[in-house]
Amino acid sequence: MSKIFVILGSLFMMLAVGAGAFGAHGLSSYFEKFPNLAGNYETAVRYHVYHALGLFAAAWLADKYPVSLTTWAGYLFVIGIVVFSGSLYLLVFTRQSWLGAITPIGGVAFIAGWGCLLLAAWRS
């Protein structure tokens, strides 16, 4: 599992760095037109980065504490990135505010993932 989480973490970090650079350089005129969306985009990128790094933590703990909780943590981080950050990215580009209702589901996945890592370390 650790190899999969390192691969996914690396892929998600590449995408997050690209998204951050695109936001800073390619979307400045878009955010001048829709300034209320810049914060959503920044939040999406920030949590994207944090939880891509979290995948490296899950990979390390999967080797150190090989229990199903570490695997669950990694998959919950992946789900969280896709749902939380993905819904915010979509909200920014489509300006469909209803997508904000989906975002907390990804947040719950993030919280659950960190809880799984906590329990894995606690129990081992």
Side-chain angles (χ1 to χ4, degrees):
M1 274 330 305
S2 63
K3 181 178 180 178
I4 290 170
F5 293 149
V6 169
I7 290 168
L8 289 172
S10 299
L11 175 64
F12 279 123
M13 282 301 292
M14 277 179 19
L15 293 172
V17 170
F22 181 60
H25 303 290
L27 294 176
S28 58
S29 63
Y30 183 78
F31 291 139
E32 285 175 14
K33 190 174 179 182
F34 303 104
N36 58 318
L37 297 176
N40 295 94
Y41 192 83
E42 193 275 330
T43 299
V45 172
R46 185 169 11 106
Y47 278 78
H48 187 158
V49 168
Y50 292 161
H51 292 88
L53 291 172
L55 280 165
F56 292 106
W60 176 69
L61 288 170
D63 280 342
K64 188 169 175 79
Y65 308 116
V67 295
S68 64
L69 285 168
T70 56
T71 302
W72 271 103
Y75 286 126
L76 286 164
F77 291 156
V78 169
I79 291 166
I81 291 168
V82 170
V83 175
F84 184 92
S85 293
S87 66
L88 288 177
Y89 291 137
L90 284 172
L91 183 149
V92 166
F93 292 115
T94 65
R95 297 187 307 277
Q96 298 294 312
S97 60
W98 66 268
L99 287 163
I102 296 169
T103 306
I105 297 167
V108 170
F110 288 150
I111 294 166
W114 289 112
C116 286
L117 290 185
L118 171 71
L119 286 172
W122 185 272
R123 291 181 180 172
S124 295

